Amino acid sequence: RSSLQDVRQVLSSTQRSAARPGDLEGLIDGVRRSGHLVESTVVGRPQPLPPELEVVAYRVLQEMLTNALKHGRRGTPVVVERHWPDPTAPLGSDTLRLEVRNVADEPVETMPIATARAASTGRGLDGMRRRLEAVGGRFDVRRRSDGDAVTFTVTAWVPVRPVAA
């Protein structure tokens, strides 16, 4: 219950504090302000996204952080990486890669990731996958044994340009 209350507090504080949907740094800062450890790295130069992609990136990162806080081990940091494409590279990637890693709260077997589905709320793993696929993005979830701990890595690839119809 306390974990769920923490997640609700983070969500409500980040929704109030975010200046705009694309403010990924503001979202991460909101999680930190609520007392959670977050290690954040930015690779490449952040660039403006079209409004519809900005909203997708924000909502997906928000859900990734929510899941990491809800299911992660207290006292261990959530690791967030944002990899921006190099716009000058001739064959450079056209996606922003968002990655969130955390240590799972309990190192026991859980529901297989492939079958983990949320109700049709637009949240959870399935909601993130659908949101990303709708704009031409991708989504991946990995569970790994890391010594005595189990870690989860959620990766989202958000296009930096709208997909042509």
Side-chain angles (χ1 to χ4, degrees), residues 7-60:
V7 170
R8 286 183 181 137
Q9 177 185 1
V10 168
L11 282 177
S12 65
S13 69
T14 57
Q15 287 171 348
R16 285 191 306 266
S17 67
R20 58 186 176 82
D23 186 11
L24 301 178
E25 193 64 38
L27 178 61
I28 293 167
D29 287 343
V31 173
R32 284 186 180 126
R33 280 191 305 275
S34 70
H36 296 279
L37 300 171
V38 180
E39 294 176 4
S40 178
T41 305
V42 177
V43 177
R45 196 181 85 229
Q47 51 195 274
L49 295 171
E52 67 276 13
L53 298 176
E54 192 173 80
V55 169
V56 169
Y58 184 88
R59 294 295 178 216
V60 166

Side-chain angles (χ1 to χ4, degrees), residues 86-101:
D86 179 358
T88 63
L91 297 173
S93 170
D94 284 342
T95 60
L96 161 62
R97 182 166 59 92
L98 302 170
E99 186 170 289
V100 175
R101 285 188 312 274

Side-chain angles (χ1 to χ4, degrees), residues 55-98:
V55 169
V56 169
Y58 184 88
R59 294 295 178 216
V60 166
L61 182 59
Q62 183 179 42
E63 185 66 22
M64 293 165 91
L65 288 166
T66 299
N67 288 344
L69 296 174
K70 182 177 177 184
H71 301 293
R73 183 177 294 164
R74 289 185 180 277
T76 61
V78 173
V79 178
V80 179
E81 294 179 9
R82 289 167 284 160
H83 295 261
W84 290 91
D86 179 358
T88 63
L91 297 173
S93 170
D94 284 342
T95 60
L96 161 62
R97 182 166 59 92
L98 302 170

Side-chain angles (χ1 to χ4, degrees), residues 106-124:
E106 297 181 24
V108 296
E109 282 300 310
T110 59
M111 181 187 318
I113 292 169
T115 61
R117 302 278 184 222
S120 59
T121 62
R123 294 190 175 125

